[in-house]
Amino acid sequence: MTLVAEPRFDLDDTLPHQAHPQLVQVAAHSSRLSVVGTGERVLHPKPSGRPDPTAHLSAADLEALGRELDALRQQVLDSRGARDAAYIRKTIAAQRYIELGSRAVLLFSLFPPAWILGTAGLTLSKILDNMEIGHNVLHGQWDWMRDPKIHSTTWEWDFVSPAAQWQDTHNVTHHTYTNVLEKDSDLGYGLFRVDPDQPWTLGSLAQPFWSLLNALFFEWGIASYDLQLHSIINGEMPKDEAKRRWEAFRGKIIKKLGKEYVLWPLLSGPSALTTMAANATSSILRNLWANGVILCGHFPYGVDTFAPDSIENETRGQWYVRQMLGSGNISGPWIVHFLSGNLSHQIEHHLFPDLPSNRYYEIAPQVRDICRRYGLHYVTGSYPKQVASAWAKIIVLALPNKEEGRSRASIVAEAAGEAMSARVAKFKARRAAKRAR
Amino acid sequence: MSLAVRPARRPMSLRDRAWRVADALAKPLLPPGTLDLISPLRPGADLAGRVERIRLETPDAATLIIHPGASWAGHTPGQYVRVGVEIDGVRHWRTYSLTSLVDSPDGRIAITVKAIPGGLVSNHLVHEIKPGALIHLDDAAGDFVMTTPRPRKVLFITGGSGITPVMGMLRNHLHELPDVVLVHSAPTARDVIFAGDLAALSATGRIRLVTRHTDSDGMLSFADIPAIVPDWAERETWVCGPGGMLDAAQTFYDAAGLAGALHLERFRPHLIAAGDGGLLSFTTAGRTLDGDGATPILETAEASGMLMPSGCRMGICFKCVLPLTEGAVRDLRTGEITYAAPGDGVAIQTCVSAPAGDCQIAH
Ligand SMILES: Cc1cc2nc3c(=O)[nH]c(=O)nc-3n(C[C@H](O)[C@H](O)[C@H](O)COP(=O)(O)OP(=O)(O)OC[C@H]3O[C@@H](n4cnc5c(N)ncnc54)[C@H](O)[C@@H]3O)c2cc1C
Ligand code: FES
């Protein structure tokens, strides 16, 4: 049994709809519900032998850090109010009007200036829809307003991935298991090797190419990932679940493609083709921007990963540390924050995924100070720098890790040789079988 | 109980039809909510209203004259409407009796609110809200309405803001009621809501008005009713006021064997005091469990074999969110209590919430 909340208000107050916290004994449930651990720390080096990045913190440090971050969260909760509600409402209204205006302009997209203006507007609207609005609403950041229309359980976005499927892979898997090897599939989406502790295969050589393709068609990459296409194809997913997911996905695509490539072009009459082109262009531009932001979140050099067994009995303090070490920020003027859905404050977002995004920049200095005091790095850099860093990693890790006394080239050559001889052996066996017949 | 009959929805005008077409077009072409930004009161939009004027009735009570959205279906005098207002960014729903004419030529409706000391919504509506504000509405409901055929003799007994549904009935039905007595209690003369209207009705002899200023005259006791209204037992009676008054009325009429002539409206039907643990009812599953105050609802339900939505189990993914339709829960991380009155359907995270009293969850 552990204590989780200190009384901060009068206990005899019985006003409904108001907070009056009370000391509660919480039985040992999910270990992350508490900042208090059960005993001494056990360290978990990574499979490659690289050390546990949290090794320098004692159990007491983790608890104190947990309490500090809990207090920071409470500070935001206590001041959350009309200003924040107005912010998200204005942002949504702006996005809606920009989309409406851009689509209206694109009705005349045969005329090049209209095409340029409409495409730019639509790109902006898609970026806002996906990032500052969609991503954050679907995280439940605005559920506290009790507006059933701006709510994580009802929101849908202009992204092919159905909101509910994205919430599964993103909110549940990624945010709970952030950067834990083998558990957080966002570490390379099962396609890319983004950590030296992930196994290298010959296929990894092509990952810069796949990564570029993924950036261009990011929306579709994410959708098939959220659909868990691989487990549908290899039959791991129960049939009815697969059917349900597939139908939700299909419904979404029909609606979205119907809107962008049938209905609006039809309304555009002679401008039909140019309107289609505008839709495709704005989707790709949005994809490139969003993919860049996402790469910056966890892939740049300096961001840590964690051993699979390091999260057993993890306390909330440990979970917080993992979020800070496992995320990277983007620095820049407010427009970068706004257009990245404040994912430029990835560290703050990962600490408190359900706090309103407009507050991340406010708490960033305090988070940074906590990192400094507890000896934790706070990875940050400009968008170009961080994107370049992530790409450098994707390119470098396309090659195998260096090994004692062997060059990377010789490892690749050996793997290629093995693959080749396996092919040859297979071919010979088949020919032998044929001859025997 | 009499079932209230609502006036039929008004016929569709050309403008209504145009909006329906716009709605049908917007659905596949535009993101949800675009038309709400342009015209929140249009036909087909979720019911809302715009506060047009605010009239102070007493220093702490005000009438709000509201332009309801086109989907407003009308009401029967005496009924109430649920009103949703945003205060500090959070939407709160409360219930207020309608005090307006059912067929006012401009189609406006009115509610009259008394600010309760410490009351969140009532103070906001009386003192803070400005004309032009958008509020959310529900369809009118309630069976505290005039009976049909109209009774020959009527007695209204009201206390404080309990005058509101009665004023709604008086304004709309008085011409059908030959004999009306109103016994109204308020702490002092300045606290009497609608004092001017009531005095006017009484001066012309249309109603017999007995006002009681409880600060000086003491609380009304039902034992005094026969002395104040000698023919009380012949009168169809409507009572609305503080809980104590309603309980006393019930007892008095039950004892007289006249419960059938008594109509009550409770303004405060649900008093939830936050406790520790409580009964957890899952309305869809039809299960009721004993929930302890330290175990997340998610775990209690799962331990009993229920299938529950869940994800991170630590309060970050919102996968476990379910509507709390009534009751109180405590956030195990912060200790914060969330309440839900019937109809509220407040979304709660079951993985970090424990019951703080009996709870109903729609699942
Ligand atoms: C059917 C119905 C019709 C109603 N019609 C009207 C009306 O016409 N005009 C009107 O002013 N109110 C009316 N009410 C009451 C109204 O819905 C609110 O309960 C009231 O305005 C208090 O809300 P609040 O947010 O200000 O108080 P809260 O912040 O919810 O509560 C503050 C404090 O006041 C207490 N409290 C809550 N409600 C009441 C109450 N009704 N009486 C006394 N104490 C209370 C609470 O226990 C708490 O201690 C009606 C209620 C019902 C159920
Ligand atoms: S299970 Fe993730 S918030 Fe409740």
Side-chain angles (χ1 to χ4, degrees):
Chain A
M1 302 282 268
T2 46
L3 297 180
V4 295
E6 325 269 324
R8 273 168 296 96
F9 297 86
D10 279 344
L11 298 187
D12 59 358
D13 169 351
T14 55
L15 295 197
H17 318 286
Q18 287 189 5
H20 42 110
Q22 206 172 304
L23 201 61
V24 176
Q25 303 267 323
V26 173
H29 310 291
S30 165
S31 58
R32 294 188 196 103
L33 284 182
S34 172
V35 292
V36 184
T38 43
E40 275 310 294
R41 295 208 57 199
V42 187
L43 294 181
H44 301 272
K46 282 181 263 191
S48 61
R50 288 190 300 157
D52 186 326
T54 68
H56 65 290
L57 295 172
S58 69
D61 291 337
L62 288 169
E63 186 181 329
L65 172 142
R67 287 191 195 281
E68 282 198 50
L69 285 163
D70 279 356
L72 189 55
R73 176 170 187 274
Q74 192 63 43
Q75 179 190 316
V76 177
L77 292 184
D78 289 345
S79 61
R80 196 171 61 177
R83 168 170 75 97
D84 306 282
Y87 172 80
I88 190 65
R89 292 225 160 81
K90 266 191 221 146
T91 307
I92 292 173
Q95 186 278 328
R96 288 335 191 212
Y97 282 124
I98 295 171
E99 174 163 352
L100 183 65
S102 311
R103 294 206 181 273
V105 169
L106 284 174
L107 293 174
F108 311 98
S109 53
L110 207 51
F111 180 52
W115 190 90
I116 291 173
L117 186 67
T119 307
L122 205 51
T123 307
L124 177 62
S125 116
K126 280 172 185 272
I127 285 175
L128 292 179
D129 173 280
N130 289 174
M131 311 196 73
E132 184 63 340
I133 302 170
H135 171 270
N136 295 335
V137 172
L138 292 177
H139 256 295
Q141 292 183 4
W142 303 99
D143 282 15
W144 59 274
M145 300 196 302
R146 298 192 188 164
D147 180 340
K149 290 189 172 160
I150 308 181
H151 201 274
S152 63
T153 56
T154 58
W155 194 261
E156 194 48 84
W157 56 356
D158 179 22
F159 208 52
V160 280
S161 191
Q165 294 185 13
W166 178 82
Q167 283 173 317
D168 275 353
T169 47
H170 183 84
N171 292 4
V172 180
T173 315
H174 171 55
H175 274 271
T176 313
Y177 299 111
T178 314
N179 283 30
V180 177
L181 293 158
E182 298 166 25
K183 295 221 156 79
D184 178 11
S185 17
D186 270 35
L187 267 181
Y189 308 108
L191 290 176
F192 312 123
R193 188 170 173 258
V194 291
D195 190 83
D197 260 298
Q198 290 176 316
W200 179 86
T201 66
L202 204 53
S204 305
L205 286 176
Q207 75 176 21
F209 169 72
W210 293 120
S211 187
L212 184 64
L213 212 62
N214 184 48
L216 286 168
F217 301 102
F218 191 51
E219 159 175 47
W220 296 92
I222 292 294
S224 60
Y225 171 70
D226 293 340
L227 183 64
Q228 299 177 18
L229 195 58
H230 59 283
S231 36
I232 294 183
I233 290 173
N234 62 25
E236 276 167 23
M237 193 186 288
K239 277 248 155 56
D240 50 338
E241 160 91 7
K243 186 160 171 252
R244 205 167 42 75
R245 280 177 173 269
W246 173 251
E247 277 168 5
F249 176 64
R250 194 185 52 191
K252 188 82 196 278
I253 318 183
I254 291 175
K255 253 206 204 131
K256 197 172 135 59
L257 295 188
K259 169 180 167 181
E260 301 208 308
Y261 297 99
V262 182
L263 296 178
W264 278 107
L266 275 179
L267 285 177
S268 307
S271 297
L273 285 178
T274 43
T275 294
M276 281 192 211
N279 279 307
T281 308
S282 59
S283 290
I284 288 182
L285 290 175
R286 182 273 325 270
N287 285 347
L288 288 172
W289 168 254
N291 178 261
V293 171
I294 302 307
L295 292 184
C296 294
H298 302 286
F299 300 164
Y301 280 102
V303 172
D304 275 313
T305 58
F306 303 85
D309 54 358
S310 68
I311 56 169
E312 280 163 24
N313 287 321
E314 181 180 61
T315 64
R316 189 158 65 246
Q318 275 170 294
W319 181 84
Y320 277 144
V321 171
R322 182 154 58 76
Q323 304 308 319
M324 294 192 283
L325 294 180
S327 311
N329 282 5
I330 304 168
S331 56
W334 80 267
I335 189 75
V336 171
H337 302 309
F338 186 57
L339 293 184
S340 69
N342 278 295
L343 290 179
S344 49
H345 294 110
Q346 190 79 220
I347 297 175
E348 289 74 18
H349 170 59
H350 261 266
L351 285 173
F352 310 116
D354 60 344
L355 289 186
S357 55
N358 59 322
R359 294 301 193 92
Y360 291 147
Y361 90 95
E362 291 178 11
I363 57 169
Q366 293 169 70
V367 171
R368 206 172 177 152
D369 179 56
I370 289 175
C371 284
R372 185 186 55 74
R373 284 190 281 111
Y374 287 87
L376 303 167
H377 60 65
Y378 185 95
V379 173
T380 183
S382 69
Y383 184 82
K385 174 172 166 264
Q386 296 303 86
V387 170
S389 172
W391 273 96
K393 208 186 219 179
I394 288 167
I395 293 166
V396 168
L397 291 177
L399 297 171
N401 298 345
K402 258 215 201 90
E403 283 173 26
E404 268 304 296
R406 284 175 85 195
S407 72
R408 292 172 202 264
S410 71
I411 299 172
V412 173
E414 188 183 308
E418 274 169 16
M420 195 64 126
S421 42
R423 271 276 168 93
V424 170
K426 211 165 160 196
F427 177 71
K428 276 189 183 151
R430 217 184 298 144
R431 214 172 42 184
K434 223 182 199 171
R435 245 193 247 129
R437 252 186 284 133
Chain B
M1 264 194 204
S2 61
L3 256 187
V5 188
R6 278 260 199 82
R9 276 174 200 266
R10 60 197 176 83
M12 266 214 212
S13 70
L14 206 62
R15 210 174 127 259
D16 289 2
R17 277 176 220 277
W19 272 118
R20 299 269 170 201
V21 172
D23 252 338
L25 283 176
K27 206 158 186 244
L29 288 172
L30 292 172
T34 309
L35 293 186
D36 289 346
L37 291 172
I38 299 168
S39 173
L41 303 186
R42 73 184 195 286
D46 281 1
L47 199 46
R50 199 174 288 291
V51 176
E52 253 183 20
R53 267 174 300 136
I54 299 160
R55 192 171 62 224
L56 217 55
E57 302 281 356
T58 71
D60 59 1
T63 294
L64 279 73
I65 291 119
I66 299 160
H67 177 184
S71 351
W72 176 252
H75 77 282
T76 305
Q79 285 192 313
Y80 54 79
V81 58
R82 273 174 22 98
V83 175
V85 283
E86 260 112 40
I87 303 175
D88 284 340
V90 182
R91 190 171 305 176
H92 297 272
W93 287 90
R94 296 288 187 278
T95 311
Y96 293 99
S97 305
L98 289 149
T99 52
S100 45
L101 288 176
V102 284
D103 49 2
S104 79
D106 59 1
R108 303 301 184 254
I109 58 171
I111 57 171
T112 304
V113 182
K114 179 174 185 323
I116 287 175
L120 185 65
V121 175
S122 57
N123 279 288
H124 182 81
L125 290 178
V126 174
H127 299 302
E128 311 281 332
I129 203 163
K130 296 278 173 304
L134 203 64
I135 58 178
H136 306 272
L137 300 173
D138 229 347
D139 282 329
D143 48 24
F144 189 72
V145 296
M146 194 40 70
T147 46
T148 314
R150 304 298 182 226
R152 246 183 25 78
K153 289 180 157 195
V154 170
L155 171 58
F156 294 120
I157 302 174
T158 54
S161 58
I163 185 68
T164 49
V166 168
M167 198 62 199
M169 285 193 251
L170 285 177
R171 282 184 175 150
N172 287 283
H173 291 309
L174 194 56
H175 64 281
E176 302 169 313
L177 305 173
D179 182 351
V180 175
V181 178
L182 167 59
V183 180
H184 179 61
S185 303
T188 69
R190 355 178 298 140
D191 296 314
V192 177
I193 304 176
F194 307 127
D197 306 62
L198 294 176
L201 289 177
S202 151
T204 58
R206 273 310 283 117
I207 65 169
R208 193 183 141 221
L209 173 68
V210 182
T211 349
R212 191 166 174 118
H213 300 141
T214 52
D215 278 359
S216 48
D217 310 345
M219 286 299 212
L220 175 82
S221 154
F222 272 79
D224 302 340
I225 288 287
I228 307 172
V229 193
D231 61 350
W232 69 274
E234 296 162 33
R235 292 179 177 270
E236 194 77 17
T237 304
W238 280 262
V239 182
C240 182
M245 175 186 262
L246 298 172
D247 296 341
Q250 189 76 64
T251 314
F252 186 72
Y253 276 75
D254 280 350
L258 288 172
L262 180 66
H263 308 264
L264 296 179
E265 182 81 313
R266 262 176 213 282
F267 275 10
R268 206 185 167 189
H270 293 275
L271 253 193
I272 319 158
D276 218 359
L279 289 181
L280 274 174
S281 319
F282 292 91
T283 45
T284 313
R287 299 275 309 263
T288 300
L289 310 173
D290 212 354
D292 87 81
T295 307
I297 291 168
L298 175 64
E299 306 218 354
T300 304
E302 283 180 343
S304 82
M306 285 184 62
L307 285 179
M308 298 286 287
S310 76
C312 67
R313 311 183 78 89
M314 62 172 298
I316 57 158
C317 77
F318 289 68
K319 194 72 197 168
C320 62
V321 164
L322 289 176
L324 175 70
T325 47
E326 194 176 340
V329 298
R330 176 179 286 111
D331 187 317
L332 290 170
R333 297 166 299 178
T334 60
E336 185 185 359
I337 303 279
T338 300
Y339 293 88
D344 282 359
V346 181
I348 56 155
Q349 291 166 282
T350 59
C351 72
V352 289
S353 303
D358 292 350
C359 293
Q360 257 183 34
I361 291 174
H363 179 58

